[in-house]
Structure formats: structure tokens, C-alpha cells
Amino acid sequence: QQQVKQSPQSLIVQKGGISIINCAYENTAFDYFPWYQQFPGKGPALLIAIRPDVSEKKEGRFTISFNKSAKQFSLHIMDSQPGDSATYFCAVRGNDMRFGAGTRLTVKP
Amino acid sequence: DTAVSQTPKYLVTQMGNDKSIKCEQNLGHDTMYWYKQDSKKFLKIMFSYNNKELIINETVPNRFSPKSPDKAHLNLHINSLELGDSAVYFCASSQDPSWLSGELFFGEGSRLTVL
């Protein structure tokens, strides 16, 4: 069973726009909420991660917003670039890492 | 230096055959994993090994068997291959699962095609 629900399935954004991907989870025991980025033919790689004791984390153009009470977290990509085109996975960590279904992001030049 | 390397990158085989995928990590991590990514890109954990000991074994057919000769290696053996086994298999590693950073380091994947 999927422990984290991710949306949208795909996203098309113009260059310079904001990309927003959302995830929702059920289990309050999760203690770590990462986002992974995967390019075609490559393995996923950690992009940014947050712990439940903070509500926001920013690294360059990438921001995670975390809402503990709503059990939701989201990835915001500011000033999206064609090079950001990839599949993005949210994940939750309990005894192991479980991934959302992925969002295919396309940034049009 | 590749942190997590897996071989082969591509594997095409007939139904009913037995095949293996090898994985090695040079990060000194305690835990290694196998994930399966299907055609819809969904990543599902199959196995987790911590210091050569199986700690997670999801509901995976027993045709799949992980083998860990040492902490740096985790191989995946698949017997009697079926069409539905076609997928990309990713090896990953992390420090102890409870480690603060929690980061998983993935290999580049092994694409298995069963004909």
C-alpha cells in the first residue's frame, strides 16, 4: 500500500515559472521527508529534505514547505529552468524509505 | 569514483531463465537496498540489508533472493524469470537507517527485459 500520495502526476511549466509538487502522508511516526530528483537513465538523487520540527527549508531555488498538522509537504521550484525537467519523488522515512508515485516535470523554454 | 555501482546496466533474457544483478558500494554504509521501478516509474522497496542481515523483506516472490557476501555488496538473484519481472532494479545504500541524514544513494539502475 502506498504510504505517501503525490500529485500531480505530471506538470508542465514555462521557464521562469514556479513548479509546485505536493505530497500527503498518514503515518505520524515518519521522521524524515526528502525529495529525490531522477533524470532519464539515472538513479534518483537527493534534492532536499526536511524534518518534522521545521515548517520550511530552502536551498537555492528549491523550497520544502511542511505542514505537520495537515500531514502534507510540498516542493516549490522557483524560477524553473529546462534543466529542472526530471521526475521528482517525495518520500517518507519510518523503518525504511517509501516513495511517492513521482511527478514528471517538464519546463518549456 | 562511483559510489554505488551495479552491473549489468541492461539485461535481456528469456522467460524461465535465472539471472543475477550485482551491486557494490564504496561509501562504507551499513545498509543496502534493492528497489524495483516499474514502467510507471513507481519505486518500490524489495529488500533491505543491514550489516549482511536481512531487515526488510517485502512481499516479494521467493524467486527473488538477495545475497550479501559482505557489507559492501548486495546481489540480487532472480529465478524462473517472468514477463512481469521486467523493470529497472535499483541498488541503494545508506548509513544506518536511523542515521540523521537518512539519505539514500542510488546506483544507476539495471534495466531487465524478459521476453
Side-chain angles (χ1 to χ4, degrees):
Chain A
Q1 68 280 25
Q2 212 170 333
Q3 300 193 22
V4 56
K5 293 185 179 176
Q6 183 172 344
S7 62
Q9 208 169 15
S10 62
L11 182 60
I12 300 174
V13 172
Q14 288 296 127
K15 179 181 173 183
I18 302 174
S19 304
I20 302 175
I21 306 170
N22 301 298
C23 281
Y25 63 95
E26 290 295 324
N27 189 338
T28 56
F30 296 135
D31 65 353
Y32 178 72
F33 302 86
W35 285 91
Y36 281 77
Q37 180 187 54
Q38 185 181 24
F39 292 106
K42 301 292 185 183
L46 180 67
L47 182 64
I48 187 172
I50 198 167
R51 297 196 178 277
D53 52 347
V54 297
S55 60
E56 186 175 282
K57 183 172 180 181
K58 185 174 180 178
E59 289 183 1
R61 297 184 293 109
F62 301 91
T63 300
I64 299 180
S65 296
F66 185 80
N67 186 329
K68 191 172 180 177
S69 59
K71 291 186 280 188
Q72 294 175 349
F73 59 111
S74 59
L75 175 70
H76 297 239
I77 306 174
M78 311 299 287
D79 186 25
S80 298
Q81 298 296 312
D84 297 331
S85 297
T87 300
Y88 291 81
F89 295 92
C90 64
V92 292
R93 188 183 69 175
N95 292 326
D96 56 76
M97 200 79 76
R98 303 287 169 133
F99 288 83
T103 297
R104 176 174 274 186
L105 172 66
T106 303
V107 181
K108 291 198 174 287
Chain B
D1 261 359
T2 305
V4 180
S5 59
Q6 45 183 119
T7 55
K9 194 171 172 67
Y10 300 98
L11 190 52
V12 181
T13 188
Q14 299 288 330
M15 258 194 328
N17 284 351
D18 303 336
K19 290 294 176 187
S20 296
I21 306 171
K22 295 185 176 182
C23 179
E24 176 181 3
Q25 55 97 1
N26 62 7
L27 297 167
H29 285 166
D30 295 319
T31 307
M32 295 184 72
Y33 310 82
W34 279 106
Y35 280 84
K36 179 181 180 181
Q37 187 170 50
D38 62 23
S39 58
K40 294 185 179 179
K41 296 284 192 183
F42 186 63
L43 267 168
K44 185 180 175 184
I45 190 166
M46 300 175 70
F47 299 103
S48 171
Y49 258 80
N50 181 270
N51 277 323
K52 297 200 298 174
E53 203 175 322
L54 181 66
I55 56 175
I56 297 171
N57 182 2
E58 291 294 299
T59 50
V60 174
N62 57 14
R63 298 182 295 104
F64 291 78
S65 56
K67 296 275 193 307
S68 181
D70 55 57
K71 200 172 89 163
H73 296 84
L74 181 64
N75 304 323
L76 182 65
H77 300 277
I78 316 171
N79 295 325
S80 304
L81 278 156
E82 300 177 357
L83 292 176
D85 297 333
S86 296
V88 181
Y89 292 85
F90 285 99
C91 177
S93 73
S94 70
Q95 264 293 12
D96 186 283
S98 63
W99 189 250
L100 286 177
S101 79
E103 182 176 358
L104 286 179
F105 291 80
F106 283 87
E108 295 212 327
S110 296
R111 181 177 291 276
L112 172 65
T113 303
V114 182
L115 303 175

